[in-house]
Every structure is written in C-alpha cells, then in structure tokens.
Amino acid sequence: MEGSKIAGYFKGKSVLITGSTGFLGKVLVEKILRVEPEVKKLFLLVRAQDTESAKQRVQSEVIGKELFKVLKEKHGKEFDRFMEEKISPIAGDVIYENLGIECSQVDNLFDQIDIIVNNAATTNFYERYDVSLDVNTLGAKHVLEFAKKCVNLKMLLHVSTAYVAGLQEGLIQEKPLKMGETLNGSTSLDIESEVQLVEETKKELHLSETDSLKNTGKLERTVMKELGIKRARKYGWPNTYVFTKALGEMVLDHMRGDVPLVIIRPTIITSLHKDPLPGWMEGIRTIDSFLLGYAKGNLSCYLADLNEIMDVIPGDMVVNAMIAAMVMHSGENTETIYHVSSSLRNPILFRTFEQSGYRYFRENPRVGKNGKTIGFKTVHFFNTIGGFKAYMTLRYKLPLEALHMVNLLSCGRFTQSYKELSQRFRFIMLLVDLYAPYSFFKGRFDDMNLQKLRLEIEKDPTDAEIFCFDPKILDWSNYFHQTHIPGVMKFLRK
C-alpha cells in the first residue's frame, strides 16, 4: 500500500503460512495481499492428499470466502490470475517431519521462504490428547525444524494463546515458558514421556478392546479426551488445548537456536472490527457460544461474575500486530513474546457484553422455527456455584425427573418435551464446564512489549492507520452491539 513502510516490507518476499484455512489464517492472507500486492508468494500449507486437492481446499475454504470481497473488487477480472500468481497451495501437515511436504518440493521451498507463520492448531478445549499433542506441540517442533533449513529465513512467527498462563491471577508477564515448567509446582513434566504415555495407552486399548469397539473407535476417543484433561490438570492447566499450546511454546524456546522467533499470544479473539469486512468471523469463539445459545433459546442461566473483566480482542487487530511484529523483528536473533489483549489497555466487564446482547436482541427479536417472534427473556447469572446448582436442580433436574416418569406412564406422549428440556440442560452444563473458569479469570496480561511495538508503529501515521492494534480506540458497547453480535448472527448462526 502506497506510503506504508510495513506493507512495503513484504515486497518480493515469500511467506509460508500454516493454518491458512482457519479464521486468523484467512485474515492474514487477505491482509498481506491487499496491502502489498507485490509480495512474491504466499505458500499455504493445507492438509490434502496432493497439490490438486490442496488447490481445491484453498479455493473453497480461503479465496472463495466473503472476506476476499474487497480484494476481488479491487482486481476485478484480474482477480483469479492475481491469486493464482501469488498463492501457492502446498499439500502437507505439521504433524509430520518436513511438514509432510513431498520431497520434490521441499528443497525448492528451503531456498525461497523468507518468513514462516505457524498458525496451525486444534483449538478444541477437550480435544483428544494424541491429536492435540500432534498438532499443538509436535507440530510446533516440526515447523521450527523446517524453519532451520530455510537458508533465507528472516522470521518464524508462532501463534499461541494468552491462556497458556492457565488460571493465574495478577499480572501475567510476556515471558517464555521454559521446558518442563508447570503451573502448580510439579517438577515431573516431560514432553517425551507424555507422547510415550499416549502411545502406551492406545496400545493397551487395542490389546483389550472388542471387535465392535475397534470398528467404531469410540473407546479410544473417550479415553484420549479424558487423558488430555487429566494430564492438563495434573500440571495446573484447565484443559487440553491450553496445556498442549504451552508445551508447544516450551519446545520452541528450548530448541530455537538462532532462529528469529516471535510468539503472539492473543486472548479471546472476536470478529473483525474494521478491515476488510466488519463483523466477519468463522468458528464459534468462547463468548459466541452464549450468543448462539441465547438466540436458539437454549440458555436460561450461567455461572459468571458480571463485574469481572473479560479480555477480548478483534481478529483484525491480532493480524495487524502479527504483521507489525514480523517487520520489526525481521532478522533479529531474539525471542519476543507479545500479549495481544485488552484487559490493561481498555478493559471491558462481562456486564457490558451482557447489556450489549440484551440491547441487540430487544431491537432484533428472535424468531422461532414456526416463524413467530419469541418474547425477550433475561439470562440468570450466578456468581456462586451453590446458587447455580440450586437453580439447575429446581429449573431442570427435578422437572426432568418428573417428566421422565410422566412420559413413561403416558407411553411416550411427552418425549419431545423431555428431549428439548434435556438438551437445554446439557447445553448449559457443557458451557459451564468449558468456559466457567474464564468467567472468573482474575489474571491480567502485561502488554508492555506490545505497547512498545505500537509506539514504534505510530511514528508513521500511515502505518498507524493501516495496522492499528490499539484496543483503546474501541467503544466496547458499540462494537458488540453494532459489529460483533450482528456478525455472529450473520456468519455463525446456521
């Protein structure tokens, strides 16, 4: 983009991006192509059997998305030619050495790549432990090993999460996680032992399970999910996702050598604030489960302290910070951590989010399956477990037990009513199980490194506007009411 020093950095450079079919990956690809059309090449690593399959995935899951509307309008009839020239889909997977890329392509990539962005991750809180270790931990290792072979490499940027900090309280610093470090004082954490434990557990299962279980894999999935939670909590992390992301950071810190490394740790990522499509998003984020649950009539209560701070940041601001960090640390033999967050710079209370939601749904009433408007209802919030459990017993457990008995006596007359009430009960309990720890989170993410980066960027007014990542500019109430919630209803509600 004319006049932008940051955008100009990408001119003539080649970037390898993993996780490009994910939310942040798409936003990053679009942004680079829009601000610097003279970037040499974006190599997009996607899980696919071959190059042709990789091209099809990129076309349908990246380029074909509404996010690229502005870029498409900018290039007009030349859009397809431009994208074909700039984007090179690569079939592969971070869970393998050399990222699973065919031998015929690897050497060529080692010579061409200037920057690697590792955005590949499984973000499921209760993912299978084997899958989560493969992608979030060993995947980071494989990307780093690949980076060391790139002769012209200027930067490896790794996208993590601020919640590798677990449920710590107080000010959480932008510092690396050291190999074997735990959050509860345990000293027995060893990544190789964790990988071995997974293999031994699966081996024992295969020796003991029945033929039917072998066919379905249900037992293995259940055991692997439970093992992930068990191991995470053993060392002080609340779920498998943040635990394995923390392990991935440890690997990078321990094995970095002289590779220029930046680790970006966003908090809860929300929809785009500004460019190129306000409100756009993909994938249900933490807070969006509440909005969709309410819109579908499944959320009547929740366990949360509305006076606590929630730490959210729009996706385009995360990508802007990523790009700025790539440029500022290019070629430096350093490791730098950035918290991309809002809890210090521009904090927002859960209550503000709640009120913005009520305001939106009052103005845009929910519509049922029969096409009729559903009356406005408030959600009961409880800041104590005792109050929440008492409500759930009176509102759901006792009625479900009674309805079950009546249904049996009436030969299934109330089956549908029982299913609907049971579904609501399970939905609320699942939300609480997954997200309640973050509804009472009392940590605040130090963002001193990020603010230094921001001040450096703001020396150039053009760059400050194009690559803004300052949450201070946001009026949270208006952002949620006018941008984020409408975006969730448009792009996520199916």
Side-chain angles (χ1 to χ4, degrees), residues 191-292:
I191 294 174
E192 290 185 6
S193 296
E194 294 301 309
V195 174
Q196 187 176 353
L197 174 64
V198 165
E199 294 306 315
E200 290 175 352
T201 303
K202 291 167 74 171
K203 186 176 180 180
E204 290 175 5
L205 283 173
H206 292 161
L207 289 174
S208 62
E209 65 187 10
T210 65
D211 288 339
S212 61
L213 286 172
K214 280 185 178 180
N215 293 332
T216 64
K218 287 183 179 179
L219 179 60
E220 184 177 284
R221 285 195 297 272
T222 300
V223 169
M224 283 294 109
K225 287 184 177 184
E226 291 176 351
L227 182 62
I229 293 298
K230 180 180 178 181
R231 302 305 289 179
R233 292 177 178 172
K234 173 181 171 65
Y235 297 112
W237 281 269
N239 57 64
T240 309
Y241 164 58
V242 295
F243 177 48
T244 53
K245 289 296 285 184
L247 295 181
E249 284 200 26
M250 292 178 195
V251 169
L252 292 175
D253 175 76
H254 184 68
M255 299 178 60
R256 180 179 73 86
D258 59 359
V259 173
L261 174 65
V262 168
I263 295 178
I264 296 287
R265 293 177 181 163
T267 51
I268 299 170
I269 302 173
T270 54
S271 63
L272 304 191
H273 164 243
K274 184 180 178 182
D275 291 328
L277 184 60
W280 186 84
M281 68 181 316
E282 277 190 338
I284 299 174
R285 311 286 149 177
T286 308
I287 61 173
D288 304 324
S289 298
F290 304 102
L291 296 171
L292 294 172

Side-chain angles (χ1 to χ4, degrees), residues 20 26 33 58 60 70 86 88 92 128 159 163 171 286 297 384 403 446 453:
S20 60
K26 291 183 181 69
L33 291 175
V58 169
S60 62
V70 171
K86 298 300 178 181
S88 180
R128 291 175 53 135
V159 181
Y163 296 100
L171 190 64
T286 308
T384 66
L403 198 55
D446 177 30
L453 180 65

Side-chain angles (χ1 to χ4, degrees), residues 58-94:
V58 169
Q59 181 60 47
S60 62
E61 298 179 37
V62 182
I63 299 172
K65 296 296 182 178
E66 192 172 354
L67 177 71
F68 285 78
K69 181 180 178 180
V70 171
L71 200 60
K72 189 173 290 187
E73 291 174 350
K74 177 181 177 181
H75 289 277
K77 295 180 180 179
E78 294 297 310
F79 176 75
D80 291 337
R81 183 198 61 78
F82 173 74
M83 299 303 278
E84 187 173 346
E85 178 185 319
K86 298 300 178 181
I87 289 180
S88 180
I90 303 291
D93 196 326
V94 297

Side-chain angles (χ1 to χ4, degrees), residues 119-166:
N119 189 51
T122 173
T123 59
N124 185 344
F125 280 18
Y126 284 178
E127 181 62 271
R128 291 175 53 135
Y129 194 32
D130 53 346
V131 172
S132 202
L133 274 175
D134 273 348
V135 179
N136 295 342
T137 304
L138 299 181
K141 174 177 177 283
H142 294 146
V143 171
L144 178 63
E145 290 172 341
F146 188 92
K148 289 181 177 181
K149 298 174 185 176
C150 295
V151 295
N152 297 311
L153 188 76
K154 301 169 183 62
M155 165 67 53
L156 167 58
L157 185 140
H158 175 77
V159 181
S160 186
T161 169
Y163 296 100
V164 293

